[in-house]
Amino acid sequence: MAFTFSINNTFSSLADGWYQFKEALKAGGWAVTQTGDGVTYSSVSDLITTATVMNNTRAWFVLTQPVVDGYQKFICIQPGTSKYQVRVKLSWTGFNTGSPSGTVVPSAADEKVILGSGSDATPTYEDFLNSSFNLIRSNIIIGDAASKYAFFWMCNRITTGGFGSLFMIDRVTDAHALDIDPYVYFMHGSSSYPSTLNSISGNIITNTTGSTSRFWCWVRKGYSDQVFTKCFMNYFNQGIGIANNYFVGLLGTNPYDGNDTLLPALVFVGGQLNASSLLTSLSMYKGQLVNAQLNGVTRVALDTGTSKLKVYNGPLVFPWNGTDPTV
Amino acid sequence: MTYFYNTLKPTTFQEAVFAFKETLKLAGWSITSSGTGTSGTYNATGDNIVTATNLGVRAWFVAAHPTLDGYQRYLCYQMDTSSNSGGARIKMAWAPYSSGSPSANTVPGSADEQVLIGSGTDASPTTATFFAATVSLNNVFISCGNAAEKYSFYLLSHNNVTAPSIDYVNTVFFMQYLNNANALDIDPYVYHALTNATLSNSSNVFGSNGGSPMKGWYKKGLTGAAFTTYPVVFYGGDGAVAMLSDIGTNPFDGSVPLFPLMVGRSNTTNNGIKGIVRDISISLTPRGNLTTLSVGSARDKIFFGKNYVINHSGDKVAI
């Protein structure tokens, strides 16, 4: 398992941020298979060759994951006019329908919108990046084939380090052998950093109703009753009925060697923590994230500890490359 | 890897305790001293409790497992101070019971002993309710592993009056080995002994609000060592809710999802993960007590406290 790191980056514009993200994923093995540069549509190639092109109104691109265990994922990204907002769709069959053009994204039979709303023809965008490009520090980590092409795009507030935006796809272990999409998907940000991601109890990773969770996954994908639904992260409660008595961020260092304890990130769907309207009939344990973990000790954003092989950001810990991050 | 089992519906409390002692011996434990109770006899080096009826008022025995990974553990079990009642006073020690003034009805002392249940002193013990007060209400399940199983044992007694719901477990008593403990942890075990007063369901088998959790050593042998409570680490969100009932079965195959039963302390003193109880899992799909599961072999797991699953003999369970 290896990762490609595109880290410690700043942007020359918000459009440059999207351009850098696209280029980083290409360097990590993903392909850009369709684009609209705001004027022209290409069904096969990447017309967005510069950040300037990306800055065109309603420019968009589709990223395609290499085949993993027989399946692919497709991500359609269209930043809004102001570029700190975005509309993002996922597909598992490919964006091969609709009426794509230089400004209109294609459709997919199985697409799911994870950020933004509206329609392809009349999209509505949602905040993701800080509205001031010069306040953003970008770190992108992309897994190789052995890491199942998981990726993490983390944006922090420059200088202070506060956690602001996260777009990630991670694989889970422990998934059932019949689960053909053992992944979780997360995308959330803010136009002003730090965002709620910066807090352990920011109610984005987990909350008591699940209504604000930004994690998504499939339950029984490929079956007639398949559901793409919100899921949530286990926090390891100590006792029952005790508020704020969870282990994430509060466990403390190991009493024997003083090292931080990292906790497995277990993902559940449904259960009594989720609003009943989300899902009631197919509650399940989805699996354990392969690459991201939960912290047992609260650290400032972008702390890497002594090994520098992990980086803290909010309640999560991600792979890192052994160097000191630039805040 | 071998477990020794004994399941019985005792007609006296002595039968249950005697069966427990004999099961420990089958698994490799030895009785290092014993007393048959008031007006009885004292054996400073062995077991003079040869039948259940030898377990008189305040009768006692000390059981020790062979040296394992460099250490031994000593269990001191004393019968009720009243005739044929289900109370007990139980101590654990990690140094031999070689002090005090042991006699037929007085247990010995140990330098590092910890009382798991009961109170008072060795000379003037106070026993606590241990089994259900009416002996016929006890369905006793005993297990003890050999060296390969780290000599882990349990004694569970389930109430059969409330059948078929059988949601009541009277007695939970065990010493259980932990996986994933720190390499410097010389006592990777948890210990638990609870009376029948509070054990109605999953919320309090291991303590609602951490009220009656398992116990274990924090940094035994090192500076700051403490014998302390180790709550179950429940699965749940960032609020005050633990998932114990709503995850359901696996949507692909209908199996009951079992998760590691981790113990640790957070947001308090002596923080840290102690380890994962090797032979007990937590199920986020509750089942009635004594429901069996077939995981590695037929009926090799059994529910207690609705949400906990422990090793089982494979026998069909009849209440």
Side-chain angles (χ1 to χ4, degrees), chain B residues 38-53:
Chain B
T38 303
S39 304
T41 58
Y42 165 55
N43 186 331
T45 57
D47 189 1
N48 61 354
I49 300 167
V50 295
T51 69
T53 56

Side-chain angles (χ1 to χ4, degrees), chain A residues 176 178-179 201 203 206-208 220 223 232-247 250-252 254-257 266 268-269 271-273 282-285, chain B residues 182 184-185 203 208-210 218-220 222 231-247 249-253 259 262 264-267 271-273 284:
Chain A
H176 195 278
L178 296 176
D179 187 347
S201 55
N203 288 344
T206 303
N207 75 340
T208 53
R220 284 174 62 87
Y223 290 79
F232 64 93
M233 199 77 72
N234 171 56
Y235 257 55
F236 300 103
N237 284 293
Q238 178 181 274
I240 301 171
I242 307 174
N244 300 318
N245 209 24
Y246 43 86
F247 278 65
L250 300 175
L251 178 60
N254 185 297
Y256 292 96
D257 56 22
L266 309 180
F268 291 88
V269 177
Q272 66 194 67
L273 296 187
L282 289 174
S283 300
M284 69 176 292
Y285 167 61
Chain B
N182 190 282
L184 296 176
D185 187 347
S203 296
S208 177
N209 297 338
Y218 171 81
K219 297 180 68 170
K220 181 161 179 58
L222 301 173
V232 168
V233 180
F234 290 105
Y235 295 84
D238 66 349
V241 181
M243 289 189 298
L244 290 170
S245 61
D246 289 339
I247 280 299
T249 55
N250 188 297
F252 291 100
D253 59 17
F259 294 88
M262 189 161 58
R265 296 169 61 86
S266 177
N267 204 19
N271 280 19
I273 296 292
L284 304 187

Side-chain angles (χ1 to χ4, degrees), chain A residues 60-175:
Chain A
W60 58 269
F61 57 89
V62 170
L63 286 160
T64 301
Q65 181 193 43
V67 175
V68 177
D69 302 331
Y71 297 92
Q72 283 180 289
K73 276 163 262 302
F74 304 84
I75 308 172
C76 178
I77 296 177
Q78 185 175 43
T81 304
S82 57
K83 302 300 180 187
Y84 66 89
Q85 295 184 315
V86 70
R87 181 170 181 260
V88 176
K89 304 191 294 183
L90 299 176
S91 170
W92 293 260
T93 57
F95 289 96
N96 47 25
T97 63
S99 303
S101 70
T103 58
V104 177
V105 300
S107 300
D110 62 350
E111 68 181 26
K112 299 295 179 184
V113 178
I114 61 169
L115 209 61
S117 56
S119 65
D120 295 343
T122 311
T124 299
Y125 305 100
E126 189 172 345
D127 292 357
F128 180 68
L129 294 174
N130 194 302
S131 57
S132 299
F133 73 87
N134 55 2
L135 294 181
I136 300 171
R137 177 74 67 189
S138 171
N139 295 291
I140 306 170
I141 303 154
I142 308 113
D144 63 0
S147 297
K148 310 297 183 183
Y149 296 103
F151 71 78
F152 310 93
W153 183 19
M154 302 175 286
C155 292
N156 291 68
R157 193 185 189 286
I158 213 162
T159 306
T160 62
F163 197 13
S165 305
L166 174 65
F167 184 17
M168 65 173 267
I169 295 178
D170 200 3
R171 177 92 165 192
V172 297
T173 59
D174 302 332

Side-chain angles (χ1 to χ4, degrees), chain B residues 10-34:
Chain B
T11 57
T12 66
F13 293 110
Q14 290 95 327
E15 287 180 17
V17 177
F18 185 76
F20 172 62
K21 176 176 69 75
E22 294 302 304
T23 305
L24 293 185
K25 289 167 67 176
L26 284 172
W29 293 63
S30 59
I31 305 302
T32 57
S33 59
S34 57

Side-chain angles (χ1 to χ4, degrees), chain B residues 2-5 141-145 149 152-154 156 176 278-281 299-304 308-314:
Chain B
T2 304
Y3 293 98
F4 297 84
Y5 293 97
F141 291 72
I142 300 166
S143 167
C144 187
E149 308 299 347
S152 292
F153 69 75
Y154 71 74
L156 303 173
Q176 290 287 314
R278 196 186 70 165
D279 291 338
I280 305 177
S281 301
R299 295 178 295 275
D300 60 345
K301 303 289 181 184
I302 192 167
F303 273 84
F304 70 100
Y308 305 100
V309 176
I310 199 166
N311 59 289
H312 179 61
S313 62

